[in-house]
Amino acid sequence: STASREPDVSSSRDSKSACVARMKVKAISRDRRDFTRARASEIVPVQRSMAPELHPFEKAREYKRAVNAVKLDRHFAKPFVGALS
């Protein structure tokens, strides 16, 4: 009579393990040689995607770089060098 009151744990455990057995796992496998250096002086290659849809702030970055370049050009300009001679 006590066995009939206890929940059947074995059947729920089997259904969970069956669910885990059917799960597919996709793993990324990469060749370690592509990411290790032969010598300490070598630069490690960086994997980047240059697709424009992945870089929405590219125009803003380019604009900021151009503005900074103009500021530096003006800062380091020597407008009075010709006037002194």
Side-chain angles (χ1 to χ4, degrees):
S1 69
T2 59
S4 63
R5 286 188 225 153
E6 294 177 6
D8 188 14
V9 179
S10 63
S11 65
S12 64
R13 188 180 305 140
D14 291 338
S15 65
K16 286 180 184 177
S17 65
C19 181
V20 172
R22 288 183 290 204
M23 185 184 343
K24 291 184 180 180
V25 177
K26 294 183 180 180
I28 298 173
S29 61
R30 295 185 175 130
D31 190 9
R32 176 168 266 167
R33 290 175 288 182
D34 293 340
F35 299 98
T36 55
R37 299 182 292 180
R39 294 181 299 273
S41 61
E42 284 185 4
I43 298 173
V44 179
V46 178
Q47 301 292 328
R48 293 190 297 170
S49 175
M50 302 307 275
E53 62 271 2
L54 297 177
H55 303 283
F57 303 115
E58 184 178 6
K59 288 182 182 179
R61 255 182 284 160
E62 191 63 32
Y63 177 78
K64 184 67 176 175
R65 285 180 185 160
V67 168
N68 286 341
V70 169
K71 286 180 184 178
L72 288 173
D73 286 344
R74 287 182 181 177
H75 179 75
F76 291 112
K78 299 177 182 176
F80 300 112
V81 171
L84 294 175
S85 56

